[in-house]
Amino acid sequence: MLDMRRMQILRAVVTSGSVTAAARNLGYTPSAVSQQMTALEKEAGIPLLERTGRGVRPTDAGRLLSDCATAIGKHVAEAETALAELRAGHRGRVSMRYFATAGASLVAPALAALRREHPGVLVDLKLFDLDDPVLDVKARRADLALVVRPGDGFAAEGVRFLHLLDDRYRVVLPKGHRLAAEPVVELAALAGESWVGSESPGPCQDAVLDACGAAGFTPDFVVESGDYATAQGLVAAGLGVTLLPELALAGGHRPDVVVREVAGPDPVRSIHAAVRNASPAQPALRGLLAALREVASAATDTALPDPSPTDTALPDSSREGAA
């Protein structure tokens, strides 16, 4: 096998025109360079240099190996540059799973921030519906998943959960409802109402049921919807009231419903980023997590404006399932 270091020395001899000049440029002795050329010719099995007066010139084989050494040197330099960019987080690929209401409010601005700081990082996005995205993280099919974590006691082997924000729920009422004029609606005041279910079984629904239980009642669900937009339509039609998370309302609400704060208690779903415990310290992944945390912090600091009954915001047409 040809020695790559000796090929680089051959390249220096060919470009400088003599062993002496190459030795001076490389910081070697002429004797050391001659020994390396003798060893390389033995590896190649063919003469690589021929004397021309006080200098040397390459044979066809020497020119071939010198050109190859130039190409190898270029590839090595490119590899070193690419590795430096990976170490700095300027390049790489991250696979991410997310749920629908996190897409516009969290994922989109986080990716925009990541692209500004690290334009070479590619993010592979996949929306999940009913499948558990934590399984994809455990199986290394995804580097990160946005999830709603049920509580402090929840754990998944090999996965850690990094808190991003608490997404508070608001009550959605039909226009003309007896509580529509209240700026804050006590949850207990909704005990006798018909309810529109907006959540599939899971941590999001548990947040609603637990809050209602703490207020002393169990919601009377008269109809179940498979997404938040449909839930708003069912409320607007007068079938009942519902609770929706703020992220689901960030893009606006239907003009024929009223959205109000709720208290006593205030239902909250806790949104986390799930990553593998044993994940290598990928700079690209760290950059994405930092961007998500920055956006989540800004979302927490900026309260959702209180919509008035005369709001004319368009309905949110995004489809939402378990989250």
Side-chain angles (χ1 to χ4, degrees), residues 193-200 205 219-227 230-243:
E193 298 284 339
S194 297
W195 281 67
V196 172
S198 62
E199 306 280 8
S200 299
Q205 186 181 77
D220 177 20
F221 292 111
V222 298
V223 62
E224 301 280 349
S225 71
D227 61 90
T230 300
Q232 287 194 45
L234 295 171
V235 171
L239 293 173
V241 302
T242 194
L243 294 179

PDB file of all heavy atoms in Angstrom, residues 193-200 205 219-227 230-243:
ATOM      1  N   GLU A 193     -72.241  22.525  32.411  1.00  0.00           N
ATOM      2  CA  GLU A 193     -72.302  22.732  30.969  1.00  0.00           C
ATOM      3  C   GLU A 193     -72.165  21.415  30.199  1.00  0.00           C
ATOM      4  O   GLU A 193     -71.593  20.442  30.691  1.00  0.00           O
ATOM      5  CB  GLU A 193     -71.166  23.667  30.527  1.00  0.00           C
ATOM      6  CG  GLU A 193     -71.219  25.050  31.127  1.00  0.00           C
ATOM      7  CD  GLU A 193     -72.288  25.913  30.476  1.00  0.00           C
ATOM      8  OE1 GLU A 193     -72.691  25.603  29.336  1.00  0.00           O
ATOM      9  OE2 GLU A 193     -72.716  26.901  31.108  1.00  0.00           O
ATOM     10  N   SER A 194     -72.670  21.412  28.980  1.00  0.00           N
ATOM     11  CA  SER A 194     -72.323  20.350  28.030  1.00  0.00           C
ATOM     12  C   SER A 194     -70.935  20.671  27.475  1.00  0.00           C
ATOM     13  O   SER A 194     -70.594  21.841  27.255  1.00  0.00           O
ATOM     14  CB  SER A 194     -73.338  20.303  26.887  1.00  0.00           C
ATOM     15  OG  SER A 194     -74.619  19.973  27.368  1.00  0.00           O
ATOM     16  N   TRP A 195     -70.148  19.620  27.258  1.00  0.00           N
ATOM     17  CA  TRP A 195     -68.756  19.817  26.851  1.00  0.00           C
ATOM     18  C   TRP A 195     -68.490  19.210  25.479  1.00  0.00           C
ATOM     19  O   TRP A 195     -69.033  18.169  25.126  1.00  0.00           O
ATOM     20  CB  TRP A 195     -67.803  19.188  27.870  1.00  0.00           C
ATOM     21  CG  TRP A 195     -67.594  20.031  29.087  1.00  0.00           C
ATOM     22  CD1 TRP A 195     -68.510  20.345  30.049  1.00  0.00           C
ATOM     23  CD2 TRP A 195     -66.387  20.685  29.465  1.00  0.00           C
ATOM     24  NE1 TRP A 195     -67.957  21.149  31.008  1.00  0.00           N
ATOM     25  CE2 TRP A 195     -66.642  21.372  30.682  1.00  0.00           C
ATOM     26  CE3 TRP A 195     -65.113  20.757  28.922  1.00  0.00           C
ATOM     27  CZ2 TRP A 195     -65.673  22.115  31.335  1.00  0.00           C
ATOM     28  CZ3 TRP A 195     -64.141  21.490  29.576  1.00  0.00           C
ATOM     29  CH2 TRP A 195     -64.423  22.169  30.771  1.00  0.00           C
ATOM     30  N   VAL A 196     -67.626  19.888  24.747  1.00  0.00           N
ATOM     31  CA  VAL A 196     -67.100  19.361  23.481  1.00  0.00           C
ATOM     32  C   VAL A 196     -65.701  18.819  23.766  1.00  0.00           C
ATOM     33  O   VAL A 196     -64.831  19.564  24.228  1.00  0.00           O
ATOM     34  CB  VAL A 196     -67.033  20.464  22.407  1.00  0.00           C
ATOM     35  CG1 VAL A 196     -66.294  19.954  21.165  1.00  0.00           C
ATOM     36  CG2 VAL A 196     -68.427  20.936  22.044  1.00  0.00           C
ATOM     37  N   GLY A 197     -65.483  17.536  23.508  1.00  0.00           N
ATOM     38  CA  GLY A 197     -64.152  16.959  23.707  1.00  0.00           C
ATOM     39  C   GLY A 197     -63.235  17.342  22.559  1.00  0.00           C
ATOM     40  O   GLY A 197     -63.589  17.219  21.391  1.00  0.00           O
ATOM     41  N   SER A 198     -62.048  17.849  22.900  1.00  0.00           N
ATOM     42  CA  SER A 198     -61.107  18.279  21.864  1.00  0.00           C
ATOM     43  C   SER A 198     -59.812  17.478  21.879  1.00  0.00           C
ATOM     44  O   SER A 198     -58.960  17.666  21.006  1.00  0.00           O
ATOM     45  CB  SER A 198     -60.772  19.766  22.045  1.00  0.00           C
ATOM     46  OG  SER A 198     -60.143  19.990  23.299  1.00  0.00           O
ATOM     47  N   GLU A 199     -59.648  16.601  22.874  1.00  0.00           N
ATOM     48  CA  GLU A 199     -58.394  15.875  23.028  1.00  0.00           C
ATOM     49  C   GLU A 199     -58.619  14.368  22.910  1.00  0.00           C
ATOM     50  O   GLU A 199     -59.635  13.837  23.351  1.00  0.00           O
ATOM     51  CB  GLU A 199     -57.770  16.152  24.413  1.00  0.00           C
ATOM     52  CG  GLU A 199     -57.581  17.622  24.745  1.00  0.00           C
ATOM     53  CD  GLU A 199     -56.344  18.211  24.090  1.00  0.00           C
ATOM     54  OE1 GLU A 199     -55.728  17.518  23.257  1.00  0.00           O
ATOM     55  OE2 GLU A 199     -56.001  19.359  24.406  1.00  0.00           O
ATOM     56  N   SER A 200     -57.656  13.671  22.316  1.00  0.00           N
ATOM     57  CA  SER A 200     -57.643  12.213  22.354  1.00  0.00           C
ATOM     58  C   SER A 200     -57.070  11.783  23.699  1.00  0.00           C
ATOM     59  O   SER A 200     -56.380  12.558  24.374  1.00  0.00           O
ATOM     60  CB  SER A 200     -56.780  11.666  21.219  1.00  0.00           C
ATOM     61  OG  SER A 200     -57.297  12.058  19.963  1.00  0.00           O
ATOM     62  N   GLN A 205     -55.413  15.376  27.292  1.00  0.00           N
ATOM     63  CA  GLN A 205     -56.735  15.171  27.876  1.00  0.00           C
ATOM     64  C   GLN A 205     -56.648  15.060  29.391  1.00  0.00           C
ATOM     65  O   GLN A 205     -57.520  15.570  30.111  1.00  0.00           O
ATOM     66  CB  GLN A 205     -57.375  13.914  27.294  1.00  0.00           C
ATOM     67  CG  GLN A 205     -58.828  13.709  27.741  1.00  0.00           C
ATOM     68  CD  GLN A 205     -59.411  12.435  27.165  1.00  0.00           C
ATOM     69  OE1 GLN A 205     -59.115  11.343  27.653  1.00  0.00           O
ATOM     70  NE2 GLN A 205     -60.240  12.569  26.140  1.00  0.00           N
ATOM     71  N   PRO A 219     -66.281  16.539  33.402  1.00  0.00           N
ATOM     72  CA  PRO A 219     -66.958  17.151  32.245  1.00  0.00           C
ATOM     73  C   PRO A 219     -67.963  16.185  31.607  1.00  0.00           C
ATOM     74  O   PRO A 219     -67.709  14.991  31.481  1.00  0.00           O
ATOM     75  CB  PRO A 219     -65.806  17.461  31.277  1.00  0.00           C
ATOM     76  CG  PRO A 219     -64.575  17.447  32.107  1.00  0.00           C
ATOM     77  CD  PRO A 219     -64.807  16.491  33.223  1.00  0.00           C
ATOM     78  N   ASP A 220     -69.096  16.717  31.198  1.00  0.00           N
ATOM     79  CA  ASP A 220     -70.123  15.946  30.514  1.00  0.00           C
ATOM     80  C   ASP A 220     -69.918  16.126  29.008  1.00  0.00           C
ATOM     81  O   ASP A 220     -70.431  17.055  28.405  1.00  0.00           O
ATOM     82  CB  ASP A 220     -71.512  16.441  30.933  1.00  0.00           C
ATOM     83  CG  ASP A 220     -72.627  15.701  30.191  1.00  0.00           C
ATOM     84  OD1 ASP A 220     -72.362  14.593  29.681  1.00  0.00           O
ATOM     85  OD2 ASP A 220     -73.745  16.241  30.131  1.00  0.00           O
ATOM     86  N   PHE A 221     -69.133  15.225  28.412  1.00  0.00           N
ATOM     87  CA  PHE A 221     -68.827  15.337  26.992  1.00  0.00           C
ATOM     88  C   PHE A 221     -70.010  14.821  26.178  1.00  0.00           C
ATOM     89  O   PHE A 221     -70.358  13.643  26.239  1.00  0.00           O
ATOM     90  CB  PHE A 221     -67.564  14.541  26.640  1.00  0.00           C
ATOM     91  CG  PHE A 221     -66.303  15.116  27.232  1.00  0.00           C
ATOM     92  CD1 PHE A 221     -65.630  14.449  28.248  1.00  0.00           C
ATOM     93  CD2 PHE A 221     -65.801  16.322  26.772  1.00  0.00           C
ATOM     94  CE1 PHE A 221     -64.468  14.971  28.778  1.00  0.00           C
ATOM     95  CE2 PHE A 221     -64.638  16.853  27.303  1.00  0.00           C
ATOM     96  CZ  PHE A 221     -63.970  16.182  28.319  1.00  0.00           C
ATOM     97  N   VAL A 222     -70.603  15.707  25.384  1.00  0.00           N
ATOM     98  CA  VAL A 222     -71.741  15.317  24.553  1.00  0.00           C
ATOM     99  C   VAL A 222     -71.315  14.998  23.125  1.00  0.00           C
ATOM    100  O   VAL A 222     -72.062  14.377  22.371  1.00  0.00           O
ATOM    101  CB  VAL A 222     -72.810  16.429  24.540  1.00  0.00           C
ATOM    102  CG1 VAL A 222     -73.350  16.667  25.943  1.00  0.00           C
ATOM    103  CG2 VAL A 222     -72.239  17.735  23.959  1.00  0.00           C
ATOM    104  N   VAL A 223     -70.087  15.421  22.763  1.00  0.00           N
ATOM    105  CA  VAL A 223     -69.563  15.132  21.435  1.00  0.00           C
ATOM    106  C   VAL A 223     -68.037  15.202  21.504  1.00  0.00           C
ATOM    107  O   VAL A 223     -67.482  15.984  22.282  1.00  0.00           O
ATOM    108  CB  VAL A 223     -70.107  16.130  20.385  1.00  0.00           C
ATOM    109  CG1 VAL A 223     -69.683  17.550  20.690  1.00  0.00           C
ATOM    110  CG2 VAL A 223     -69.674  15.738  18.981  1.00  0.00           C
ATOM    111  N   GLU A 224     -67.391  14.363  20.711  1.00  0.00           N
ATOM    112  CA  GLU A 224     -65.932  14.341  20.669  1.00  0.00           C
ATOM    113  C   GLU A 224     -65.471  14.807  19.285  1.00  0.00           C
ATOM    114  O   GLU A 224     -66.030  14.400  18.269  1.00  0.00           O
ATOM    115  CB  GLU A 224     -65.411  12.921  20.922  1.00  0.00           C
ATOM    116  CG  GLU A 224     -65.829  12.322  22.262  1.00  0.00           C
ATOM    117  CD  GLU A 224     -64.977  12.816  23.409  1.00  0.00           C
ATOM    118  OE1 GLU A 224     -63.929  13.453  23.142  1.00  0.00           O
ATOM    119  OE2 GLU A 224     -65.362  12.560  24.563  1.00  0.00           O
ATOM    120  N   SER A 225     -64.469  15.645  19.258  1.00  0.00           N
ATOM    121  CA  SER A 225     -63.889  16.082  17.982  1.00  0.00           C
ATOM    122  C   SER A 225     -62.486  15.490  17.851  1.00  0.00           C
ATOM    123  O   SER A 225     -61.827  15.197  18.848  1.00  0.00           O
ATOM    124  CB  SER A 225     -63.807  17.610  17.912  1.00  0.00           C
ATOM    125  OG  SER A 225     -62.804  18.093  18.783  1.00  0.00           O
ATOM    126  N   GLY A 226     -62.036  15.359  16.612  1.00  0.00           N
ATOM    127  CA  GLY A 226     -60.699  14.824  16.400  1.00  0.00           C
ATOM    128  C   GLY A 226     -59.644  15.884  16.251  1.00  0.00           C
ATOM    129  O   GLY A 226     -58.468  15.566  16.099  1.00  0.00           O
ATOM    130  N   ASP A 227     -60.029  17.148  16.293  1.00  0.00           N
ATOM    131  CA  ASP A 227     -59.053  18.222  16.132  1.00  0.00           C
ATOM    132  C   ASP A 227     -59.601  19.505  16.746  1.00  0.00           C
ATOM    133  O   ASP A 227     -60.798  19.639  17.002  1.00  0.00           O
ATOM    134  CB  ASP A 227     -58.704  18.431  14.659  1.00  0.00           C
ATOM    135  CG  ASP A 227     -59.920  18.830  13.835  1.00  0.00           C
ATOM    136  OD1 ASP A 227     -60.165  20.039  13.728  1.00  0.00           O
ATOM    137  OD2 ASP A 227     -60.630  17.934  13.342  1.00  0.00           O
ATOM    138  N   THR A 230     -62.228  21.660  14.564  1.00  0.00           N
ATOM    139  CA  THR A 230     -63.586  21.125  14.633  1.00  0.00           C
ATOM    140  C   THR A 230     -64.219  21.426  15.982  1.00  0.00           C
ATOM    141  O   THR A 230     -65.420  21.734  16.067  1.00  0.00           O
ATOM    142  CB  THR A 230     -63.576  19.607  14.383  1.00  0.00           C
ATOM    143  OG1 THR A 230     -63.027  19.350  13.087  1.00  0.00           O
ATOM    144  CG2 THR A 230     -64.975  19.022  14.456  1.00  0.00           C
ATOM    145  N   ALA A 231     -63.419  21.358  17.038  1.00  0.00           N
ATOM    146  CA  ALA A 231     -63.936  21.668  18.376  1.00  0.00           C
ATOM    147  C   ALA A 231     -64.487  23.089  18.418  1.00  0.00           C
ATOM    148  O   ALA A 231     -65.557  23.340  18.991  1.00  0.00           O
ATOM    149  CB  ALA A 231     -62.837  21.478  19.417  1.00  0.00           C
ATOM    150  N   GLN A 232     -63.780  24.039  17.799  1.00  0.00           N
ATOM    151  CA  GLN A 232     -64.285  25.412  17.760  1.00  0.00           C
ATOM    152  C   GLN A 232     -65.614  25.485  17.008  1.00  0.00           C
ATOM    153  O   GLN A 232     -66.538  26.197  17.417  1.00  0.00           O
ATOM    154  CB  GLN A 232     -63.260  26.330  17.093  1.00  0.00           C
ATOM    155  CG  GLN A 232     -62.037  26.638  17.919  1.00  0.00           C
ATOM    156  CD  GLN A 232     -61.254  27.796  17.343  1.00  0.00           C
ATOM    157  OE1 GLN A 232     -61.836  28.823  16.964  1.00  0.00           O
ATOM    158  NE2 GLN A 232     -59.942  27.661  17.276  1.00  0.00           N
ATOM    159  N   GLY A 233     -65.715  24.743  15.900  1.00  0.00           N
ATOM    160  CA  GLY A 233     -66.951  24.749  15.142  1.00  0.00           C
ATOM    161  C   GLY A 233     -68.117  24.172  15.927  1.00  0.00           C
ATOM    162  O   GLY A 233     -69.245  24.691  15.862  1.00  0.00           O
ATOM    163  N   LEU A 234     -67.846  23.114  16.688  1.00  0.00           N
ATOM    164  CA  LEU A 234     -68.900  22.506  17.506  1.00  0.00           C
ATOM    165  C   LEU A 234     -69.344  23.451  18.613  1.00  0.00           C
ATOM    166  O   LEU A 234     -70.537  23.530  18.944  1.00  0.00           O
ATOM    167  CB  LEU A 234     -68.405  21.183  18.093  1.00  0.00           C
ATOM    168  CG  LEU A 234     -68.112  20.076  17.065  1.00  0.00           C
ATOM    169  CD1 LEU A 234     -67.426  18.893  17.730  1.00  0.00           C
ATOM    170  CD2 LEU A 234     -69.402  19.629  16.381  1.00  0.00           C
ATOM    171  N   VAL A 235     -68.393  24.185  19.186  1.00  0.00           N
ATOM    172  CA  VAL A 235     -68.743  25.185  20.204  1.00  0.00           C
ATOM    173  C   VAL A 235     -69.577  26.292  19.566  1.00  0.00           C
ATOM    174  O   VAL A 235     -70.598  26.727  20.117  1.00  0.00           O
ATOM    175  CB  VAL A 235     -67.477  25.762  20.866  1.00  0.00           C
ATOM    176  CG1 VAL A 235     -67.830  26.956  21.753  1.00  0.00           C
ATOM    177  CG2 VAL A 235     -66.766  24.691  21.692  1.00  0.00           C
ATOM    178  N   ALA A 236     -69.138  26.774  18.405  1.00  0.00           N
ATOM    179  CA  ALA A 236     -69.868  27.845  17.719  1.00  0.00           C
ATOM    180  C   ALA A 236     -71.293  27.430  17.392  1.00  0.00           C
ATOM    181  O   ALA A 236     -72.209  28.262  17.402  1.00  0.00           O
ATOM    182  CB  ALA A 236     -69.132  28.234  16.438  1.00  0.00           C
ATOM    183  N   ALA A 237     -71.498  26.121  17.135  1.00  0.00           N
ATOM    184  CA  ALA A 237     -72.833  25.618  16.814  1.00  0.00           C
ATOM    185  C   ALA A 237     -73.709  25.471  18.055  1.00  0.00           C
ATOM    186  O   ALA A 237     -74.881  25.101  17.946  1.00  0.00           O
ATOM    187  CB  ALA A 237     -72.723  24.278  16.097  1.00  0.00           C
ATOM    188  N   GLY A 238     -73.132  25.742  19.234  1.00  0.00           N
ATOM    189  CA  GLY A 238     -73.911  25.700  20.467  1.00  0.00           C
ATOM    190  C   GLY A 238     -73.996  24.332  21.120  1.00  0.00           C
ATOM    191  O   GLY A 238     -74.842  24.122  21.997  1.00  0.00           O
ATOM    192  N   LEU A 239     -73.107  23.414  20.723  1.00  0.00           N
ATOM    193  CA  LEU A 239     -73.170  22.061  21.290  1.00  0.00           C
ATOM    194  C   LEU A 239     -72.520  21.971  22.661  1.00  0.00           C
ATOM    195  O   LEU A 239     -72.741  20.998  23.380  1.00  0.00           O
ATOM    196  CB  LEU A 239     -72.497  21.067  20.333  1.00  0.00           C
ATOM    197  CG  LEU A 239     -73.235  20.858  19.007  1.00  0.00           C
ATOM    198  CD1 LEU A 239     -72.407  19.991  18.074  1.00  0.00           C
ATOM    199  CD2 LEU A 239     -74.593  20.214  19.263  1.00  0.00           C
ATOM    200  N   GLY A 240     -71.718  22.952  23.035  1.00  0.00           N
ATOM    201  CA  GLY A 240     -71.090  22.903  24.347  1.00  0.00           C
ATOM    202  C   GLY A 240     -69.931  23.864  24.441  1.00  0.00           C
ATOM    203  O   GLY A 240     -69.727  24.720  23.561  1.00  0.00           O
ATOM    204  N   VAL A 241     -69.153  23.725  25.518  1.00  0.00           N
ATOM    205  CA  VAL A 241     -67.953  24.524  25.742  1.00  0.00           C
ATOM    206  C   VAL A 241     -66.754  23.587  25.662  1.00  0.00           C
ATOM    207  O   VAL A 241     -66.893  22.373  25.720  1.00  0.00           O
ATOM    208  CB  VAL A 241     -68.002  25.235  27.113  1.00  0.00           C
ATOM    209  CG1 VAL A 241     -69.228  26.126  27.213  1.00  0.00           C
ATOM    210  CG2 VAL A 241     -67.958  24.220  28.260  1.00  0.00           C
ATOM    211  N   THR A 242     -65.576  24.165  25.557  1.00  0.00           N
ATOM    212  CA  THR A 242     -64.375  23.334  25.530  1.00  0.00           C
ATOM    213  C   THR A 242     -63.195  24.113  26.074  1.00  0.00           C
ATOM    214  O   THR A 242     -63.264  25.349  26.234  1.00  0.00           O
ATOM    215  CB  THR A 242     -64.063  22.834  24.104  1.00  0.00           C
ATOM    216  OG1 THR A 242     -63.086  21.782  24.181  1.00  0.00           O
ATOM    217  CG2 THR A 242     -63.522  23.953  23.224  1.00  0.00           C
ATOM    218  N   LEU A 243     -62.112  23.397  26.363  1.00  0.00           N
ATOM    219  CA  LEU A 243     -60.848  24.009  26.745  1.00  0.00           C
ATOM    220  C   LEU A 243     -59.828  23.705  25.652  1.00  0.00           C
ATOM    221  O   LEU A 243     -59.675  22.552  25.244  1.00  0.00           O
ATOM    222  CB  LEU A 243     -60.339  23.448  28.082  1.00  0.00           C
ATOM    223  CG  LEU A 243     -61.158  23.762  29.335  1.00  0.00           C
ATOM    224  CD1 LEU A 243     -60.513  23.111  30.557  1.00  0.00           C
ATOM    225  CD2 LEU A 243     -61.282  25.260  29.552  1.00  0.00           C
TER     226      LEU A 243
END
